Amino acid sequence: MPDATPSTPPSPVCDAVAAAQRYFAGEKVDFSAVPLDLEGQNDLFQQIYAALRQVGWGETTTYGALAKQFGDDWEIARDVGQAMAKNPIPLIIPCHRVLAAGGKVGGFSAPGGAATKVKMLELEGVNLAAKPAQQSLGF
């Protein structure tokens, strides 16, 4: 954009950037009040994103649990997965807090993929240490 000129971003953008910096410095940050423009996202995705924004720091949910908020149709679970994959703002709409069944990490559409998801959850104090499929009998 050759005609673009630098300017100061609007205050909500500055506030969101400052909050993201605090988040990655390890401070507990609530992004649920950050104003979003989700124009172009379908109504169901917007509803899924609104529900997900209620999952706070250090909390997780699953794709299935999120889907159940919208009905019992198996296609809703698929829609939740698609909404996470198309999430335009992965930190503000915290799809890193959505796990696969059994507490498995699942995917993550932001740069770094699942490794970034794990780091973000660890930053929030979520322990994803793999549990053995079979417990030791201790002898």
Side-chain angles (χ1 to χ4, degrees):
M1 304 181 125
D3 296 333
T5 58
S7 66
T8 302
S11 64
V13 172
C14 291
D15 293 345
V17 169
Q21 290 171 330
R22 291 192 316 274
Y23 174 89
F24 286 109
E27 183 179 324
K28 182 178 178 178
V29 176
D30 179 2
F31 292 101
S32 64
V34 173
L36 301 179
D37 178 0
L38 295 174
E39 186 176 332
Q41 298 289 329
N42 72 42
D43 289 341
L44 179 58
F45 280 21
Q46 289 188 39
Q47 292 172 16
I48 291 168
Y49 295 149
L52 180 55
R53 291 185 80 193
Q54 302 310 306
V55 178
W57 172 280
E59 299 174 0
T60 60
T61 189
T62 63
Y63 293 97
L66 194 55
K68 282 184 181 182
Q69 294 182 40
F70 301 95
D72 291 329
D73 186 345
W74 67 268
E75 290 181 354
I76 298 290
R78 183 192 64 203
D79 292 333
V80 167
Q82 289 179 353
M84 297 305 104
K86 295 178 180 179
N87 181 353
I89 317 160
L91 175 61
I92 310 299
I93 301 170
C95 57
H96 64 282
R97 296 178 183 149
V98 181
L99 302 176
K104 295 178 184 170
V105 173
F108 192 52
S109 61
T116 298
K117 181 176 187 172
V118 169
K119 287 179 185 178
M120 291 171 73
L121 289 169
E122 288 174 347
L123 181 70
E124 296 182 19
V126 175
N127 183 357
L128 293 175
K131 296 178 183 150
Q134 182 176 9
Q135 298 295 319
S136 168
L137 297 175
F139 57 105

